[in-house]
Amino acid sequence: MKVLLVTSNWAETYGHAVRSMAAAEQLTAAGHEVAVLAPASFRHLFPDGVRFYESVPKPAYIENKLPFFGYHTYEDLIFVSGHADDFHLIDTIERERATIRDFQADLVFADMQFTIAVSAYTEGVRLASIVNWPLHPAHNIELEDLHPGRKLILRRVRNIWNRVLQKYGMPPVEHVCRTLFDHCQLLLVPSCKELEPELLRYEPEAEFVGQLVPSVFKEEPAWFKQWEQTCKEPLVFVYLSSLPFGINSRSTFEMMYGVFEKNPVRAVFAIGKYNSAFLDHPLKSREERIRFEPFVPSETIMAHSSLCITPGSNSMMVSAMRHHVPGLLYPDTYERNFNAFCMERAGLGIVCGEDDLGRERFESLLHEGLAGKSTEISLRIQNQLTDLEKTPRLVRLLESAARGGVTS
């Protein structure tokens, strides 16, 4: 089977690449031929045996002076990322179609790439996609009526997409995310049922496959082995993502560093690959117990952590739940707000905001988070994720989808 993996070319964040890396690893181990269509910056993440195609570059984010009313759904991100332009959408689709033809794919497996629904439909290739509850058109739908100006922007975005859909002979949509939910033969969720019951109510056929993480994220680096022997304080895992706002700022990092220096903890800062706030930072600490790493094997670190501090990305949320690690969560988008809610609902998360970034308040939250304990719900989630890990389903589901059906 020839499987084309397609990562988002409108977000270009590490999470999309990581899941594709895991899928490539599992598929090649099963003897399948794999290619990936992704931003050029992801090329080094995939081994030589995986054929790499470069996607159309992501446009720049919209300027701040343009009207915008908050991150509430994926349509907002489509707007601010510049993925609502006829010419860019058509260029993206044509690059995808050419790649499908050149690779002669039997199946396309996408990670939240909306245009691929058009490309796969036009080329007559079956399509599987990563989805989650925040991706669903019903998520936060009530907010449209609360922001009339935003509703006008969304109407404009949908009109642009519907013009493109019409060009390729596809029916119009009332929400851009419907392109995936209406045209995928297989919906895959990288978590478990206990974590996202909301999605199941709308998409009962969605298949939960648990955490998708490549083996490189499970390896124990030499520095960590030595560190574990010499430093015994509780470990705090901090992830600052690539999005240019919220907790990911330089000032927040400096505040946290100061608090960690004063308290008997170890800390690892994982800096998002595209976080420009740290381009000029030497990534060296004044103390051995505080480290900065441009790449952190997240599964290894999480398994040894007593607390995680993150914006609430999906992969970090699932990893924390898998290892029973309490979290201080500073969500910076609507999706991460939902992920933070999932951890809070399970009793393993404290959802924080800008008012919680003061030094004294943060220090208080640090101690509260370190005292967090497992709950009955978090244990059920951990058991479900562990069971999915013991019996991987991803390859079998993709093989079935390529043949024209899906078997659980």
Side-chain angles (χ1 to χ4, degrees):
M1 177 173 71
K2 301 181 73 171
V3 182
L4 174 64
L5 307 176
V6 181
T7 71
S8 164
N9 79 321
W10 54 270
E12 199 173 346
T13 56
Y14 218 42
H16 298 287
V18 167
R19 289 190 289 252
S20 292
M21 289 166 64
E25 191 174 271
Q26 292 186 35
L27 286 163
T28 53
H32 298 297
E33 191 173 346
V34 178
V36 61
L37 174 63
S41 60
F42 291 168
R43 181 184 296 269
H44 71 285
L45 299 174
F46 297 89
D48 293 338
V50 174
R51 191 169 178 180
F52 189 90
Y53 294 88
E54 184 178 327
S55 57
V56 171
K58 177 182 75 66
Y61 282 100
I62 63 167
E63 297 180 22
N64 292 331
K65 65 183 181 182
L66 292 178
F68 182 60
F69 302 89
Y71 293 89
H72 303 304
T73 71
Y74 267 95
E75 287 185 312
D76 293 294
L77 290 184
I78 286 171
F79 170 66
V80 299
S81 66
H83 217 61
D85 171 83
D86 300 61
F87 297 106
H88 173 70
L89 293 177
I90 291 170
D91 285 347
T92 298
I93 290 167
E94 290 304 314
R95 180 77 59 86
E96 291 169 351
R97 292 182 64 195
T99 303
I100 291 170
R101 292 194 299 267
D102 185 74
F103 182 59
Q104 298 181 336
D106 300 308
L107 178 75
V108 174
F109 179 28
D111 198 309
M112 298 183 182
Q113 173 73 344
F114 304 101
T115 51
I116 196 63
V118 182
S119 306
Y121 173 87
T122 307
E123 295 300 320
V125 177
R126 296 181 67 80
L127 175 63
S129 179
I130 291 288
V131 297
N132 59 14
W133 169 235
L135 185 73
H136 198 275
H139 179 76
N140 277 351
I141 192 68
E142 68 280 358
L143 293 179
E144 284 196 32
D145 294 327
L146 297 180
H147 302 282
R150 175 177 174 270
K151 194 170 186 177
L152 289 174
I153 289 176
L154 294 183
R155 186 181 303 166
R156 174 180 168 233
V157 171
R158 291 163 185 168
N159 286 341
I160 291 169
W161 274 77
N162 282 329
R163 283 201 301 268
V164 174
L165 290 173
Q166 183 180 31
K167 170 181 169 63
Y168 289 97
M170 297 179 69
V173 292
E174 296 180 355
H175 190 290
V176 172
C177 294
R178 287 245 69 97
T179 55
L180 285 179
F181 284 97
D182 290 351
H183 296 286
C184 277
Q185 285 72 52
L186 175 62
L187 302 175
L188 296 169
V189 192
S191 63
C192 64
K193 293 180 180 179
E194 187 79 38
L195 267 175
E196 298 191 49
E198 296 88 350
L199 181 63
L200 272 181
R201 287 202 291 271
Y202 287 89
E203 303 293 338
E205 301 302 316
E207 298 282 355
F208 288 79
V209 294
Q211 191 176 17
L212 296 178
V213 58
S215 58
V216 67
F217 281 65
K218 302 176 183 179
E219 296 174 358
E220 197 168 87
W223 66 261
F224 186 74
K225 296 177 183 178
Q226 182 179 358
W227 203 40
E228 283 287 284
Q229 295 171 358
T230 57
C231 298
K232 300 300 181 183
E233 296 88 353
L235 175 56
V236 180
F237 182 19
V238 184
Y239 174 66
L240 303 178
S241 83
S242 300
L243 295 178
F245 41 74
I247 190 180
N248 311 306
S249 68
R250 180 72 169 264
S251 60
T252 299
F253 153 75
E254 291 173 347
M255 179 276 296
M256 287 192 288
Y257 184 98
V259 171
F260 293 150
E261 274 192 315
K262 289 175 51 184
N263 286 271
V265 297
R266 287 180 293 157
V268 176
F269 283 88
I271 310 300
K273 181 176 176 63
Y274 306 104
N275 191 325
S276 59
F278 297 88
L279 289 177
D280 62 342
H281 196 279
L283 297 179
K284 293 180 181 178
S285 61
R286 295 188 293 272
E287 294 196 29
E288 175 62 24
R289 60 189 177 86
I290 303 175
R291 298 188 64 97
F292 317 118
E293 299 292 337
F295 169 76
V296 172
S298 56
E299 278 299 285
T300 294
I301 305 299
M302 193 70 80
H304 289 82
S305 296
S306 298
L307 180 70
C308 65
I309 302 175
T310 83
S313 64
N314 179 272
S315 58
M316 284 291 167
M317 179 261 296
V318 177
S319 183
M321 301 299 293
R322 170 72 182 81
H323 295 287
H324 266 299
V325 180
L328 299 183
L329 307 156
Y330 290 83
D332 48 22
T333 67
Y334 69 94
E335 179 185 4
R336 292 173 175 183
N337 191 61
F338 172 73
N339 295 335
F341 164 72
C342 286
M343 287 196 67
E344 183 181 52
R345 177 168 58 185
L348 279 183
I350 300 173
V351 181
C352 310
E354 289 188 17
D355 294 340
D356 299 308
L357 288 175
R359 186 178 293 264
E360 290 185 7
R361 174 60 178 160
F362 179 78
E363 188 167 7
S364 173
L365 287 168
L366 175 66
H367 293 294
E368 184 179 349
L370 287 169
K373 303 294 182 182
S374 301
T375 66
E376 183 179 341
I377 297 175
S378 68
L379 287 170
R380 287 202 303 269
I381 292 172
Q382 184 185 44
N383 289 336
Q384 286 187 15
L385 290 171
T386 300
D387 289 343
L388 288 167
E389 184 179 350
K390 288 178 180 176
T391 55
R393 311 173 66 231
L394 176 66
V395 172
R396 179 161 49 84
L397 288 167
L398 293 175
E399 289 171 341
S400 179
R403 292 192 300 265
V406 173
T407 56
S408 299

